[in-house]
Structures are given as C-alpha cells and as structure tokens.
Amino acid sequence: MTNGRTIGLFVFLSVLIPTITLFGEELEEWLYEDSLTLDERAFHFIGFSSFMDGETERAAQYYQMAISTSSNEWSKEWASFWLGISLIEKGDIEKVLTGIGKGEREEWKCFYAAYSLYKQGELDRSIALLDSLKQKKFSFDLLTLLVRYFYGIIELERQNVVKAESLLVQILRDYPRSVVEGDILYRLAGLRLSQQKIQEALSFARRAEYFYSISKQQERHRWIDEVKFIKGGAFYKLGRLDSVEAIISEIATEYPRNRYSTELYFLASLMELEKGELPTRLSKIDSLEKLAELKLRMGIYLKNKGKLQKALNNFCWVVENAEDEYNREIASIMAGEIYYLKRDYYKAVDFFRRGYNIQGENYDYARYGLSWSLFRKGEPHN
C-alpha cells in the first residue's frame, strides 16, 4: 500500500537522489526502475541509509519489509544480502547462517561467516575465508566489491600496510562512487597521518568529508567523527591552531555528538600551551586522563615561568585525581621539588615518597629527592 507518508518521502527523494552518490551507481539506477513500487523503493532507501547511519535494527526491519512485499527478484536479492549484514551487526549470526531468502547461497554464507569473524576480531580466520572468494566474480557485483573491501581492511588491521593500501586504492579506481568509498578514504587519511604524510592525510580526509556531506544525515554517519578528528590531528601537526579551532567551532554547532570532541579540545589546549598561553577550554575536556595530562603540562609550564604556587596546584590535582601512574609519578616529583624549594621538607618528603612508591621510570629521581628531603628534615635516609 502506498500512503501519503511514502509519497511525501519520494517527492523529497526525486530531488535528492540525483545528487546522492553514497548509495553507489547500482542502487541509484535501480531505485528508478518502473517495476518497483514506491513502497519498495522506500524500504530499500530507508534500510540502506539506516545501515550507513549505524541504525542496524531499523535497517533490518525495512529489509524484512522489502523481502516480504516485493515481487522483483533483484529487489529480494539486494534486500536479503543487506538484511544478513544488518543482522550480523546486531549479533544475530546464527539466524543469518540458517538462511534468509536467497541468502542461503554458499558464497553468501561464506562471506557472512568471514564478516562475522572480522567483527569478532578473528582476522586470520576471516581472511582465510575471504581468500576463497577473492578471485571470484559474482553476478551480484556488490559481493565482489565487499569481499575485496574487507580483505583490504583486514590486511590493514593486520599491519600489512603496503598490501592493504594497494588493495584499497585499486577499489577506488575500479568502483568509483561505491558504498565503501567514504570508508576507504577515511582509513587512508588515518594511515597517511600515522605515516606523518600530513598533506596527503588532509587530502584524503577532505575527500571523505565531501563524500559524507551528501548523506542525508551527515552528522550521524558512522565515520564523520573520525574524519573530523583526523583533520584536527593533521592541523595540529602543522601547528595551525586557527584550523583546529575552526573544526571545534564546526562540531560544536553541526556535530554536537562527535565522539572526538574532547580530543580536539585537548589538541587545541596543547597548541595554546606551545604558544605560551594557558588553555581556555579545560571545562570542555570530559576525559579525566586527558585533563590530568593537560594539567601536568600546565604545571610544568607555570613552574618554568616561576609561578610556583599555581604550578603546585596543578601538580597536586594530578597526584590526587590521575589514574595513569606515569602522570602521577611526574606530578608527585614536581610537587616535591616545589615544596623542597619552599623549604617545606615535610611535604616534600610526602610527595617524593609518593613518586618513589610508584617504582616507575623516574624511580631514581624520586629516590634522590626523597633522600635529600629526609636529610633536610633531619630523618635517616638511604
């Protein structure tokens, strides 16, 4: 049945779809086939966009509806395949492998099993299954694409960087405007950033950002947060505080649920310190360890400026609140030094002993400070 809500949706789609490349040429062309009803098109469109936005339960519901209502074999083929992927994302692998529509075909089962193993972190077992599919050319071309894509992703996660990069770049050439293009661009951007190839990282990130910008719900796309963070990291490496701040302003208004907001605020704060300015965004950093690391660096900066009491306040905060032992060790030693300079040897002993008890990388320095503080305090020391 076609209702007013469906018709309204496709008035919208008739304007939107010609500009959308996110869904790949195969789906984009097929959505216009005369043999499909408006309901069938709606089920596929909403199912696929829901999946790309990470709403796998919603995607599975719409693909089920597409299978149960469609008389078009290609429609059922597409819906069955993506229903299987959506269910695996939900953790329903057993339901998938027992058979869903035409998904009972052996190559589908093999791919589903490989995909499920990948999701569980079983990379070697997953790629062994994909090896048996990699050289095949399937009539369902999306399967050919996804086999190659996951093979490249797994090789990247197995640290076979050269092989993975070659596979992923080749997919971009062989399948322009495919459903995985944005994900590949984002991963290549992250790879280039880790290789210190900053301009190339920015180039890939911008291409991924443009690709995601044509999604109907860009701010909820699964990789948009990572792309923004990669751009921020690249600008941090280039020392461009203004560009990092521009990204922060952008996510504050357009992507308020960005998972990397804290990391971006942290990078901007580090850059402020490097410029000789105290950070202005501490209240925006909701990670205890990021805040502790920043306060430790602020303490060192203030100590070097001769502002000992302000430095001491930061060091004491880190000692009492940080979970990371290295940060607590350094802060304890720094606080001990300041109390020693203030000739408050009782407190110097207390903080040097805290650093000494951690038995960390700076054990010798903590022991040295503790010994002298005990000597000044008039107690025996080793």
Side-chain angles (χ1 to χ4, degrees):
M1 178 182 294
T2 300
N3 56 35
R5 183 177 179 182
T6 306
I7 293 173
L9 171 66
F10 274 92
V11 169
F12 166 69
L13 294 185
S14 66
V15 177
L16 181 63
I17 286 178
T19 68
I20 290 180
T21 56
L22 177 62
F23 302 97
E25 294 177 359
E26 190 174 17
L27 176 59
E28 186 177 333
E29 293 172 4
W30 174 69
L31 278 171
Y32 282 114
E33 283 196 7
D34 293 337
S35 59
L36 296 181
T37 66
L38 288 178
D39 281 338
E40 287 177 298
R41 296 180 194 180
F43 295 152
H44 282 279
F45 187 95
I46 297 172
F48 194 79
S49 60
S50 296
F51 179 85
M52 296 300 286
D53 286 337
E55 297 182 4
T56 53
E57 184 168 353
R58 186 166 183 253
Q61 291 173 352
Y62 277 95
Y63 282 127
Q64 286 277 22
M65 287 190 280
I67 294 168
S68 63
T69 61
S70 180
S71 59
N72 182 293
E73 290 303 312
W74 205 97
S75 170
K76 289 183 177 180
E77 188 100 335
W78 180 281
S80 296
F81 183 84
W82 280 104
L83 175 58
I85 297 296
S86 300
L87 289 172
I88 291 172
E89 287 283 336
K90 287 177 59 186
D92 295 339
I93 179 63
E94 293 303 323
K95 185 175 182 180
V96 174
L97 296 183
T98 55
I100 302 171
K102 291 202 170 185
E104 291 181 356
R105 297 188 307 178
E106 288 306 309
E107 61 264 29
W108 285 30
K109 279 191 174 183
C110 187
F111 175 76
Y112 286 151
Y115 181 68
S116 181
L117 288 168
Y118 165 73
K119 296 292 292 182
Q120 297 169 37
E122 298 276 357
L123 303 185
D124 292 341
R125 292 175 63 195
S126 177
I127 210 162
L129 288 175
L130 291 175
D131 257 327
S132 66
L133 301 174
K134 190 165 61 115
Q135 302 305 320
K136 294 184 179 181
K137 180 71 174 177
F138 302 102
S139 58
F140 190 48
D141 199 39
L142 178 65
L143 183 57
T144 307
L145 166 63
L146 292 179
V147 167
R148 292 175 60 182
Y149 167 70
F150 280 107
Y151 201 98
I153 295 304
I154 292 171
E155 289 289 29
L156 188 61
E157 294 189 16
R158 294 169 82 205
Q159 304 302 312
N160 295 328
V161 174
V162 174
K163 185 176 181 181
E165 184 177 352
S166 175
L167 289 166
L168 295 175
V169 169
Q170 191 61 46
I171 291 172
L172 292 178
R173 296 192 184 113
D174 294 346
Y175 293 89
R177 306 199 313 156
S178 76
V179 295
V180 297
E181 181 171 327
D183 295 358
I184 291 175
L185 291 170
Y186 135 68
R187 292 175 188 273
L188 290 174
L191 178 61
R192 288 291 186 268
L193 184 62
S194 69
Q195 295 170 334
Q196 303 298 315
K197 297 178 180 179
I198 309 304
Q199 293 297 344
E200 290 184 40
L202 276 175
S203 176
F204 279 120
R206 284 166 175 152
R207 287 173 61 187
E209 196 172 38
Y210 171 75
F211 187 86
Y212 296 144
S213 72
I214 54 183
S215 170
K216 70 183 182 73
Q217 290 179 303
Q218 177 194 4
E219 76 279 2
R220 294 175 56 232
H221 195 282
R222 59 178 60 189
W223 298 126
I224 194 67
D225 294 354
E226 283 80 355
V227 171
K228 295 296 182 186
F229 179 60
I230 288 170
K231 283 183 67 180
F235 287 130
Y236 170 74
K237 297 282 187 181
L238 294 172
R240 290 170 54 179
L241 177 59
D242 57 334
S243 297
V244 176
E245 289 178 332
I247 293 175
I248 289 173
S249 297
E250 181 184 5
I251 65 173
T253 55
E254 298 183 31
Y255 311 98
R257 288 176 288 173
N258 190 293
R259 296 189 298 276
Y260 293 91
S261 296
T262 286
E263 282 78 2
L264 289 168
Y265 284 121
F266 177 71
L267 290 180
S269 297
L270 289 182
M271 295 177 80
E272 287 176 317
L273 271 177
E274 290 166 5
K275 288 175 62 178
E277 302 171 2
L278 288 176
T280 57
R281 301 178 177 85
L282 294 184
S283 63
K284 299 288 187 179
I285 299 175
D286 56 14
S287 162
L288 180 62
E289 284 311 303
K290 291 290 183 186
L291 187 57
E293 184 176 347
L294 196 56
K295 281 184 169 288
L296 178 61
R297 295 186 185 221
M298 287 172 60
I300 294 171
Y301 169 80
L302 291 165
K303 180 174 177 288
N304 291 337
K305 289 287 186 180
K307 299 178 179 179
L308 299 185
Q309 187 55 52
K310 289 184 177 180
L312 186 59
N313 292 341
N314 282 283
F315 292 139
C316 290
W317 188 95
V318 175
V319 171
E320 297 299 332
N321 293 281
E323 295 175 356
D324 182 78
E325 285 192 340
Y326 178 80
N327 286 338
R328 282 193 284 113
E329 179 191 35
I330 297 297
S332 297
I333 293 171
M334 291 292 179
E337 280 188 4
I338 292 176
Y339 278 121
Y340 187 91
L341 292 172
K342 289 174 170 282
R343 299 185 180 182
D344 188 340
Y345 302 120
Y346 286 89
K347 288 187 177 178
V349 165
D350 177 37
F351 280 94
F352 277 125
R353 181 171 280 126
R354 293 189 193 203
Y356 172 82
N357 289 339
I358 290 174
Q359 304 282 299
E361 296 178 25
N362 297 280
Y363 166 80
D364 289 336
Y365 195 87
R367 181 183 179 184
Y368 178 81
L370 177 59
S371 297
W372 273 103
S373 299
L374 287 168
F375 173 76
R376 294 292 188 186
K377 187 181 171 187
E379 292 186 15
H381 59 91
N382 295 322

